[in-house]
């Protein structure tokens, strides 16, 4: 984690404990919103890159298309979360011949 800019720290030092707690809540909400936006952008990129022959209807609910490199070869997998566990389902090699 990098240190916040000095001008932000100087401004924070002048605040009351109550205001600092409010700022912390706002900062947490802003960080979560930015993370959701980044995840949505990454998902949009994955959808755009998805091969046309991979039918989304065959995928588990909430799965995203991922690739894994194993022994120098790349393979497509559906990947999703079930509770705390990440599940994967093999689809086919990336270079299907």
């Amino acid at each position: 984690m990098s240190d916040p800019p000095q001008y932000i720290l100087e401004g924070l030092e002048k605040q009351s404990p109550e205001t600092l707690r409010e700022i912390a809540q706002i900062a947490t909400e802003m960080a979560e919103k930015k993370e959701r936006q980044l995840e949505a952008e990454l998902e949009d990129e994955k959808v755009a890159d998805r091969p046309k022959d991979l039918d989304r209807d065959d995928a588990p609910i909430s799965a995203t298309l991922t690739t894994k490199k194993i022994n120098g070869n790349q393979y497509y997998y559906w990947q999703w979360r079930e509770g705390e566990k990440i599940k994967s389902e093999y689809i086919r090699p990336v270079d299907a011949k």
Side-chain angles (χ1 to χ4, degrees):
M1 184 199 293
S2 63
D3 292 331
Q6 190 62 36
Y7 71 92
I8 292 177
L9 294 175
E10 289 170 0
L12 290 174
E13 289 173 356
K14 299 174 186 176
Q15 305 306 313
S16 69
E18 180 180 296
T19 300
L20 287 171
R21 286 185 187 90
E22 291 173 12
I23 291 169
Q25 180 64 35
I26 292 167
T28 298
E29 291 170 4
M30 290 174 74
E32 290 171 354
K33 180 180 178 183
K34 286 187 177 237
E35 287 172 343
R36 286 191 302 272
Q37 289 171 336
L38 288 172
E39 288 174 4
E41 289 172 13
L42 288 173
E43 181 59 29
D44 288 345
E45 288 176 12
K46 287 179 184 177
V47 169
D49 293 342
R50 182 176 293 155
K52 304 299 182 227
D53 67 326
L54 293 180
D55 186 1
R56 181 70 180 103
D57 294 336
D58 293 339
I61 296 173
S62 77
T64 56
L65 183 68
T66 60
T67 59
K68 294 184 182 183
K69 192 170 189 173
I70 302 170
N71 295 330
N73 299 308
Q74 287 194 304
Y75 301 92
Y76 285 120
Y77 284 82
W78 290 119
Q79 201 165 47
W80 67 99
R81 183 176 291 279
E82 287 183 7
E84 295 297 314
K85 294 185 179 184
I86 295 177
K87 302 284 187 162
S88 294
E89 181 180 309
Y90 172 79
I91 303 170
R92 67 167 173 80
V94 170
D95 295 323
K97 297 175 181 154

